[in-house]
Amino acid sequence: MILFCLLIYKVGWEDTLESIKKVSIAHLLVAIVIFWIAFYLKSVRWKIISNSFGIPLHSYQALKVFFIGLFLANITPGKLGDFGRLFYIKDQLPNKKVGWSSLIMDRIFDLICLFFFSLIALFYYQINFKILKSSPNYSPAFLLGVILVVLIFVLFVFRKKIEKYIKPWWEAFNSHTLGAKGVLLALGITCFSMVLIYGVFNYIAWSMSIPINHIGLFLGVFILGLLTLLPITVLGIGVRETSLVVIFQLYDLPSQDAIALSLIIFLLQLVSFIPGAIWFYLSPIQLSELKELK
């Protein structure tokens, strides 16, 4: 929030509002539909994964609960509220560990695609803008090597305690029967849904006639997606604006357009979560009942 307020103070509300006026209502409505299509695809993926764990989840139920989880995820830092989905299907779970494992697998597909596109983005920005400049004394490769050595040492020392804690969850995780075709299908759905979600940034930038390199913007927002996973913000406030300002500055574009684009995406997010908010209002989670899922 501090970052957001500082950016607005520096750029000015007047210039930002002028940039926001560049987009039409029609383009906003199309963007919301794109979000909903992407969310529907993700609910299909979650249904496929849940069924592979023996959870009899139906299409409408998967859509409804997924939207509720999406709403909860985006009003909590680090999207932790997404795990509230399990509450709505607790009666269909063979056991709690299977439920948690199915949801973790669902999130893993997101992380795989997010890291994949983010890695491409890092290479793209390194080649075009030389973002990472190595020090003559401490190169990135050296620092990475030190981190890996420390990590391996910690895992070796505490391997028995780690194995004791992880083993029952790993067994539950391996109880699924997704298969190679199911994995490829889930990955394909995930990639396509993410292209739609992050492509909305490009669509809105195009509707605002912002002369940015759309490949750079498209790849850059995946890094933004990684940053919003950190438990330091709600709905990406501050992180999203700062990241877009940095991307726009690389292309010598005004910061007010970056903040305007960010605020428009923020508005679109709020509207796209309305179905989940309504379903959650009709059947809310009681905090005392969440203890049952531990």
Side-chain angles (χ1 to χ4, degrees):
M1 288 300 298
I2 294 174
L3 284 173
F4 176 75
C5 293
L6 286 174
L7 286 171
I8 291 295
Y9 174 78
K10 184 177 180 180
V11 175
W13 272 109
E14 296 81 4
D15 293 335
T16 303
L17 288 174
E18 287 299 319
S19 295
I20 292 176
K21 292 177 182 178
K22 296 178 183 178
V23 66
S24 68
I25 298 297
H27 288 122
L28 294 177
L29 292 175
V30 171
I32 292 169
V33 172
I34 293 173
F35 271 132
W36 283 342
I37 292 173
F39 297 154
Y40 166 74
L41 290 174
K42 284 196 171 188
S43 74
V44 171
R45 180 196 64 192
W46 184 47
K47 174 180 176 294
I48 293 172
I49 293 172
S50 297
N51 292 164
S52 74
F53 278 91
I55 303 172
L57 202 61
H58 302 291
S59 298
Y60 174 73
Q61 184 186 22
L63 180 66
K64 174 183 175 180
V65 176
F66 184 85
F67 262 96
I68 293 175
L70 190 68
F71 167 69
L72 294 175
N74 284 276
I75 62 173
T76 55
K79 302 187 182 298
L80 296 176
D82 198 23
F83 291 95
R85 277 190 261 166
L86 292 180
F87 172 81
Y88 292 93
I89 61 170
K90 61 181 181 180
D91 295 334
Q92 299 168 262
L93 300 178
N95 58 69
K96 296 175 184 178
K97 288 185 174 64
V98 167
W100 282 99
S101 299
S102 64
L103 193 57
I104 290 171
M105 177 176 282
D106 185 66
R107 296 303 301 273
I108 284 175
F109 280 106
D110 279 334
L111 290 175
I112 289 173
C113 291
L114 198 55
F115 274 108
F116 173 73
F117 283 109
S118 296
L119 187 61
I120 295 175
L122 288 175
F123 277 110
Y124 174 86
Y125 279 97
Q126 179 64 19
I127 292 171
N128 289 276
F129 300 103
K130 305 296 181 184
I131 300 297
L132 302 175
K133 296 181 180 179
S134 60
S135 167
N137 296 323
Y138 301 100
S139 66
F142 173 76
L143 292 176
L144 180 60
V146 172
I147 293 172
L148 287 175
V149 169
V150 172
L151 181 61
I152 291 171
F153 176 76
V154 171
L155 290 175
F156 178 77
V157 172
F158 298 100
R159 65 186 185 280
K160 291 185 178 179
K161 290 185 178 180
I162 295 173
E163 181 181 353
K164 182 181 178 181
Y165 180 78
I166 292 179
K167 187 175 181 180
W169 294 96
W170 182 253
E171 290 175 351
F173 191 76
N174 282 332
S175 66
H176 72 92
T177 56
L178 195 57
K181 290 183 179 179
V183 170
L184 291 176
L185 178 61
L187 279 174
I189 291 174
T190 305
C191 287
F192 185 56
S193 63
M194 283 197 165
V195 167
L196 291 176
I197 291 172
Y198 291 100
V200 169
F201 284 83
N202 291 78
Y203 175 71
I204 296 299
W206 168 80
S207 68
M208 295 171 66
S209 300
I210 298 175
I212 193 170
N213 181 297
H214 283 279
I215 295 177
L217 176 61
F218 176 72
L219 292 175
V221 292
F222 279 97
I223 299 177
L224 185 158
L226 273 181
L227 293 175
T228 55
L229 292 178
L230 299 175
I232 58 175
T233 181
V234 176
L235 282 171
I237 297 173
V239 174
R240 180 180 51 247
E241 287 77 19
T242 305
S243 302
L244 285 175
V245 166
V246 171
I247 293 173
F248 274 53
Q249 287 180 345
L250 290 174
Y251 290 101
D252 297 320
L253 293 172
S255 297
Q256 59 263 29
D257 283 346
I259 297 177
L261 175 60
S262 178
L263 291 176
I264 291 170
I265 296 297
F266 174 69
L267 173 65
L268 292 173
Q269 282 182 315
L270 292 179
V271 175
S272 65
F273 300 150
I274 286 177
I278 293 173
W279 275 319
F280 176 72
Y281 175 78
L282 294 175
S283 53
I285 296 176
Q286 300 297 327
L287 293 179
S288 59
E289 294 175 313
L290 282 178
K291 296 179 180 179
E292 300 174 11
L293 295 176
K294 292 183 179 180

